[in-house]
Amino acid sequence: MATAGTFFGGRLTVETGDLTALEVDALVNAANPGLLGGGGVDGAIHRAGGPVILRECREIRRTRHPDGLPAGRAVTTGGGNLKARFVIHTVGPVWRGGSAGEDGVLADAYRSSIREAEAKGLSSLAFPAISTGVYGFPKDRAARIVAGLLKDYFLGGPKLSRIRMVFFSAADAEIFLKEAAPLLTGSP
Ligand code: AR6
């Protein structure tokens, strides 16, 4: 894991590496409404975490979300074989050109995940770049939305002591930093 950027006195870090290897209270999964796994980071989390996570996801589908988890919402399972204690599964928006409410749903996915972590009394949370892979959300636009909401969060008396933004590639972390750094370091 390589750190590419640090903000808010180290409480927000931008890193490059494999999300599934992190030792954090919870990591966030960029899932789909079915919650039964998929490609990208979702596939990696289920592979590394083992069958316990899938079992809990099936139970959540059966009891709380028989029609699937709506985009912008989040649910929590244990971390199975991961070093993370919990996995917070959220569903980002599928990119449809930008005028179908995608920005708001992306922000909701991040906020719901943070709320899940806070409700469990956790202190550290790691995010992947939700929706910017298979779901096709433009990376630079996502960075500006995420930076805006994280700035609001850290200036508004955060309960979490640490949030880590984890990018699979150094190039993706660079795009994020180029867009996000001016927003994160600028005055409120
Ligand atoms: N660690 C960190 N980042 C990763 C990892 C990893 N191990 N693997 C991929 N990424 P995606 P989405 C990055 O496609 O766009 C799945 O099939 C990847 O480079 O995982 O929200 C689900 O089941 C990209 O920057 O999520 C859904 O059907 C980012 O994670 C759908 O894809 C997100 O890419 C969700 O699509």
Side-chain angles (χ1 to χ4, degrees):
M1 198 64 54
T3 303
T6 300
F7 304 91
F8 304 111
R11 287 178 297 166
L12 173 63
T13 49
V14 178
E15 301 172 44
T16 303
D18 180 3
L19 186 76
T20 65
L22 289 189
E23 212 169 324
V24 276
D25 289 339
L27 48 86
V28 175
N29 182 15
N32 60 62
L35 290 179
L36 302 180
V41 72
D42 191 8
I45 286 171
H46 279 281
R47 269 195 303 279
V52 172
I53 299 177
L54 188 59
R55 222 165 24 240
E56 282 190 57
C57 283
R58 281 192 208 285
E59 190 60 13
I60 288 170
R61 279 295 306 279
R62 197 179 65 77
T63 55
R64 293 163 55 196
H65 293 287
D67 299 327
L69 181 68
R73 303 268 302 274
V75 294
T76 305
T77 66
N81 300 329
L82 295 168
K83 288 188 192 130
R85 288 165 59 207
F86 297 97
V87 176
I88 295 173
H89 306 260
T90 191
V91 180
V94 176
W95 180 253
R96 295 201 165 83
S99 39
E102 294 95 323
D103 292 352
V105 175
L106 185 67
D108 285 347
Y110 279 89
R111 288 198 201 98
S112 308
S113 302
I114 290 171
R115 265 200 305 276
E116 281 282 309
E118 289 182 343
K120 288 229 151 15
L122 307 183
S123 65
S124 61
L125 182 60
F127 278 105
I130 297 166
S131 281
T132 63
V134 174
Y135 278 2
F137 201 112
K139 294 171 184 177
D140 53 349
R141 182 160 165 156
R144 292 191 292 274
I145 292 163
V146 173
L149 74 90
L150 289 178
K151 181 173 188 175
D152 289 349
Y153 182 70
F154 280 109
L155 294 180
K159 290 207 184 83
L160 298 178
S161 55
R162 177 129 189 242
I163 293 182
R164 303 167 71 169
M165 291 294 307
V166 179
F167 295 87
F168 215 21
S169 74
D172 285 353
E174 256 172 55
I175 294 172
F176 181 85
L177 282 171
K178 178 169 176 282
E179 301 295 329
L183 298 170
L184 292 169
T185 52
S187 38

